[in-house]
Amino acid sequence: QITLKESGPTLVRPTQTLTLTCSFSGFSLSTSSVGVGWVRQPPGKALEWLALVFWDDRYRYRTSLRNRLTIKKDTSRNQVALTMTNMDPMDSATYYCTHLLWYGESYYFNSWGQGTLVTVSS
Amino acid sequence: YVLTQPPSESVAPGKTATITCGGNNIGSESVHWYQHKPGRAPVLVLYYDTDRPSGIPQRFSGSNSGNTATLTISRVEAGDEADYYCQVWDTGSDHPVFGGGTKLTVL
């Protein structure tokens, strides 16, 4: 059974740096065709992928946020961390950690954590 | 690559709901669908156009051809009320693309 759990602050001040950690079980990030990603949903808006890390050490960042995001994996501890700098109230959202699988010609989001609500406010 | 979904759909209980996802030649892509209820984690309901993960009822089915992929929910239940998102993998940019989501209301 795959589980993912997000942890980190619920309140961040504008301009501060957000660090979220995803702790997962039921799979290994060293297994072929596996990835872990972060997806967020601002209130009333659609899902928005942020950053992905794959079993083969490839990384992908959302183009519009590339300069603010860093994703790092710790395979031995089954954790993935996301750092987002210069937080703004517009970054207030529920942040989800996800498990990705490759099938055919596509990765898809196989499992999701429960999400963590992050509010950016002074 | 852009995926276009209708913002909302409504359906009576017991009827069939059809949620579309439009994209340029999307029929040549693998489309995945997620159900998202308020306050809950999104759930994968279909992958690779038509495959259902274990635990997803057979009432959920999919098709994909031309410029439109479709999620069909038969014999709709109140518990199917949720937002539904389609997703593809943009092989050119090597990253995922989500549709804007469709809010399904069960009347």
Side-chain angles (χ1 to χ4, degrees):
Chain A
Q1 180 188 2
I2 291 172
T3 64
L4 306 107
K5 185 173 178 60
E6 307 87 352
S7 59
T10 57
L11 178 64
V12 178
R13 306 301 182 190
T15 76
Q16 285 188 335
T17 295
L18 170 71
T19 298
L20 295 174
T21 300
C22 174
S23 301
F24 58 85
S25 62
F27 68 95
S28 171
L29 246 182
S30 61
T31 300
S32 176
S33 302
V34 167
V36 170
W38 290 92
V39 176
R40 72 179 179 181
Q41 185 182 38
K45 296 188 177 181
L47 297 174
E48 179 179 69
W49 78 277
L50 299 176
L52 314 172
V53 60
F54 300 100
W55 64 283
D56 56 0
D57 292 330
R58 288 183 300 120
Y59 298 82
R60 292 295 179 267
Y61 294 107
R62 189 174 189 84
T63 301
S64 60
L65 296 171
R66 177 184 299 276
N67 292 337
R68 299 173 54 205
L69 293 172
T70 303
I71 189 169
K72 291 185 178 179
K73 65 173 182 172
D74 186 335
T75 304
S76 62
R77 299 181 64 184
N78 284 349
Q79 289 184 332
V80 170
L82 177 74
T83 301
M84 180 180 290
T85 62
N86 194 23
M87 292 291 285
D88 181 270
M90 294 288 288
D91 295 313
S92 297
T94 297
Y95 288 74
Y96 296 97
C97 178
T98 66
H99 167 246
L100 291 92
L101 282 177
W102 179 262
Y103 187 97
E105 301 175 340
S106 174
Y107 272 101
Y108 62 92
F109 298 88
N110 181 58
S111 295
W112 300 63
Q114 285 299 311
T116 184
L117 177 61
V118 177
T119 301
V120 184
S121 174
S122 55
Chain B
Y1 193 81
V2 177
L3 296 176
T4 301
Q5 297 183 241
S8 62
E9 295 285 353
S10 59
V11 62
K15 300 299 185 182
T16 297
T18 299
I19 298 173
T20 60
C21 176
N24 184 34
N25 198 26
I26 196 173
S28 65
E29 309 290 341
S30 297
V31 180
H32 318 294
W33 291 92
Y34 305 89
Q35 176 192 69
H36 192 198
K37 297 180 180 180
R40 306 278 295 273
V43 173
L44 176 73
V45 294
L46 287 179
Y47 63 101
Y48 204 41
D49 299 341
T50 60
D51 291 352
R52 280 176 289 104
S54 62
I56 301 301
Q58 289 184 344
R59 301 185 297 105
F60 288 80
S61 62
S63 63
N64 185 15
S65 178
N67 293 320
T68 304
T70 303
L71 169 67
T72 301
I73 309 173
S74 305
R75 302 180 299 283
V76 165
E77 304 172 355
D80 297 330
E81 188 163 282
D83 295 326
Y84 290 85
Y85 293 88
C86 57
Q87 176 248 317
V88 300
W89 188 263
D90 185 334
T91 52
S93 303
D94 201 23
H95 64 67
V97 177
F98 282 106
T102 297
K103 181 177 181 59
L104 178 67
T105 299
V106 180
L107 301 171

